Amino acid sequence: MTATVSETTLDVPVDVRFTATGTPLAVRYDGRVWAVAAEPVHWFTRDSWWEKRRTVPVGIGNVVDIEHWRLQVRLGPSTSALRTFELRRDPLSEQWLLEAITDTKP
């Protein structure tokens, strides 16, 4: 039997709870708390800030690093289905966005 994948693209704000070392523990999305159930994947991409903003004031901080996390999460008991959440935080923002949800179906 081959697994099929269903992906939903969202870009909606979410709350993320982190450990003291900065690893995600849980995500609040759509009124529910999704617990991280596997080792998260973390990476950065670069923003083309010069295409969006003409100038950036000196000392404003990091304007190019977009932070990403790919998390396998589940609701409730450990037997619930895993979902993959892709999160993004843009430069100069404190808000995390849920970029996409991927489900693997039997």
Side-chain angles (χ1 to χ4, degrees):
M1 184 181 280
T2 304
T4 59
V5 175
S6 166
E7 183 171 330
T8 304
T9 303
L10 301 167
D11 257 0
V12 296
V14 292
D15 294 322
V16 183
R17 187 173 51 176
F18 291 90
T19 65
T21 59
T23 303
L25 281 173
V27 177
R28 181 179 296 277
Y29 164 65
D30 200 27
R32 301 167 122 184
V33 176
W34 297 81
V36 175
E39 188 68 29
V41 178
H42 188 219
W43 74 96
F44 290 86
T45 58
R46 296 289 189 170
D47 183 31
S48 303
W49 64 268
W50 58 90
E51 293 175 359
K52 298 175 187 171
R53 299 175 282 283
R54 291 194 182 272
T55 62
V56 176
V58 173
I60 194 72
N62 184 343
V63 296
V64 296
D65 289 331
I66 302 170
E67 188 173 6
H68 299 268
W69 284 97
R70 181 176 296 127
L71 311 171
Q72 285 199 305
V73 298
R74 65 171 31 120
L75 283 173
S78 61
T79 58
S80 67
L82 284 173
R83 300 181 93 182
T84 301
F85 283 8
E86 293 212 17
L87 306 179
R88 179 186 84 238
R89 187 177 66 175
D90 293 325
L92 306 176
S93 175
E94 295 298 317
Q95 179 64 62
W96 284 95
L97 298 174
L98 177 56
E99 196 168 55
I101 297 173
T102 306
D103 293 315
T104 302
K105 297 182 181 181

